[in-house]
Amino acid sequence: MGIVSKLFSILLLMALMHSPSGWMGKLDKKIHKEIEKTFESTVYTLEPVEISERLNSELPASMKQGFRKIRTSEVLLGYVFVGFAPSKTAEFDYLVLFDSNARVVHTKVLVYREEYGGEIGSKRWLRQFHGLDGNDRVGLDSNIDAISGATISVRSMTIAMDNLLQSVGMLQKKGML
């Protein structure tokens, strides 16, 4: 690893450590708002789920930067995952909240950067994922509704959710959740 790469890695790590939740930028406020609303608590901490590089590379969805435990001083409230998925020409950021049993309780598109396809951010469409866990699989051809005019984004979000659910299932089987 070159000196520039090492320096960049150190600066990125420092920025992540100084960000309250570990995510950088304007998403922090949106993430905290969704957590507070869903878990009805303003007093909590976000802790990384310790996943080895080797295991993370085996998971369908990379969990290294975007997966955290949501805890109060006494109890595990649940988990939060923040990821991104491709749309036609850009990417969109999304959030998935899980309860303490790693079952999906809330999904939200945080930032959508396209002119078309933003319908995937509707609460009604995203509700299809609620109640799912690491034992479930999702797909457009089986149990997820399409949206006319948002085909690429729907496919992308569905694949991202399927990968996330598979990853959660693998972490549960390894006793990490």
Side-chain angles (χ1 to χ4, degrees):
M1 184 183 278
I3 187 80
V4 173
S5 296
K6 285 182 183 177
L7 183 59
F8 178 75
S9 296
I10 291 169
L11 290 173
L12 180 61
L13 182 62
M14 288 173 54
L16 286 170
M17 288 177 9
H18 291 356
S19 178
S21 64
W23 292 287
M24 297 170 58
K26 297 179 182 179
L27 292 183
D28 277 349
K29 189 173 183 179
K30 289 181 180 186
I31 292 166
H32 288 291
K33 178 181 173 188
E34 296 303 319
I35 291 170
E36 290 170 6
K37 183 172 61 172
T38 301
F39 292 103
E40 299 176 348
S41 177
T42 57
V43 180
Y44 60 87
T45 60
L46 297 178
E47 302 171 3
V49 175
E50 298 298 327
I51 303 169
S52 71
E53 289 294 330
R54 182 172 165 258
L55 177 58
N56 193 54
S57 68
E58 296 173 12
L59 298 174
S62 176
M63 308 292 271
K64 199 65 175 170
Q65 294 301 319
F67 197 58
R68 303 276 191 276
K69 295 176 189 175
I70 307 167
R71 300 187 65 86
T72 64
S73 58
E74 308 89 35
V75 69
L76 173 69
L77 295 176
Y79 303 91
V80 58
F81 178 80
V82 177
F84 59 90
S87 52
K88 187 173 182 178
T89 62
E91 293 178 332
F92 59 91
D93 302 306
Y94 65 94
L95 165 135
V96 181
L97 295 174
F98 297 87
D99 65 15
S100 59
N101 296 314
R103 183 171 299 279
V104 176
V105 293
H106 183 66
T107 52
K108 182 164 181 81
V109 173
L110 297 169
V111 179
Y112 193 80
R113 297 175 181 87
E114 296 277 355
E115 196 171 319
Y116 299 103
E119 296 88 352
I120 66 161
S122 78
K123 290 178 185 177
R124 183 172 175 257
W125 188 80
L126 290 169
R127 222 175 287 130
Q128 296 177 93
F129 300 108
H130 296 189
L132 302 177
D133 64 23
N135 296 313
D136 295 305
R137 297 292 306 268
V138 293
L140 283 175
D141 54 349
S142 57
N143 56 355
I144 298 298
D145 295 332
I147 298 174
S148 179
T151 307
I152 294 170
S153 298
V154 164
R155 181 175 291 120
S156 183
M157 182 67 175
T158 302
I159 290 169
M161 284 298 297
D162 191 52
N163 289 339
L164 176 59
L165 291 170
Q166 288 180 66
S167 297
V168 165
M170 290 172 73
L171 292 175
Q172 286 177 309
K173 286 178 184 160
K174 295 204 179 274
M176 298 183 73
L177 300 183

